[in-house]
Amino acid sequence: MDSSMMVNIGEERFDRVIGQDKFYIDKTDFIREWWETGSTVTLIARPRRFGKTLNMSMLECFFSNRYAKRGDLFEGLSIWKEEKYRQLQGTFPVIFLTFANVKASKYEDMEYSITKVISDLYEQNRYLLDKDVLRNCRKIKCTI
């Protein structure tokens, strides 16, 4: 490991981990395995601090059209070895919802925080209502 590389604890955004050259164990084979199962819905149940949010962020960065032309995030990683997967990168609308940072001690605060997360997500994805984006999807998967 390069002495300038930092070991990251708690970063949940894949693009930041890769972009800041932080220590990352390549889990991109998960993309291939998940894609090839053809599942409509996938439940990923793991204990706290086992990388669920980081893995979901990795999926978002790989599939989301917001990260189109960001193959640089995956260069040198396992998923980038096969051309068919390089062609998939950045080609789908992805709605990524996480409550990982929602914390509150009172019910009202929790309700507000969850409402804010959903409202922000709606605004970020409003473009899906304005365009014919969803009609052009060949294969859409839902991950919970």
Side-chain angles (χ1 to χ4, degrees), residues 31-129:
I31 297 168
R32 180 185 1 268
E33 292 169 12
W34 180 71
W35 185 258
E36 291 177 3
T37 65
S39 298
T40 303
V41 175
T42 304
L43 172 64
I44 299 175
R46 294 189 179 123
R48 286 186 76 231
R49 314 299 306 160
F50 267 66
K52 293 180 297 294
T53 304
L54 180 59
N55 280 339
M56 295 302 99
S57 177
M58 173 187 67
L59 286 170
E60 177 190 25
C61 289
F62 187 79
F63 287 109
S64 178
N65 55 11
R66 291 178 187 207
Y67 289 88
K69 307 208 187 301
R70 286 301 317 269
D72 60 299
L73 295 171
F74 297 92
E75 288 176 4
L77 299 175
S78 178
I79 194 68
W80 213 243
K81 293 176 184 173
E82 292 183 50
E83 178 63 27
K84 73 178 188 175
Y85 289 103
R86 289 194 300 269
Q87 295 300 315
L88 280 175
Q89 196 278 320
T91 58
F92 297 97
V94 173
I95 297 174
F96 177 53
L97 173 64
T98 178
F99 296 114
N101 294 319
V102 174
K103 295 168 180 56
S105 58
K106 295 191 302 190
Y107 176 82
E108 294 80 17
D109 295 340
M110 181 66 74
E111 184 178 40
Y112 173 80
S113 295
I114 290 172
T115 302
K116 176 90 169 93
V117 167
I118 293 170
S119 175
D120 290 348
L121 185 67
Y122 179 84
E123 288 302 317
Q124 292 168 11
N125 292 284
R126 185 181 289 274
Y127 77 100
L128 293 173
L129 299 172

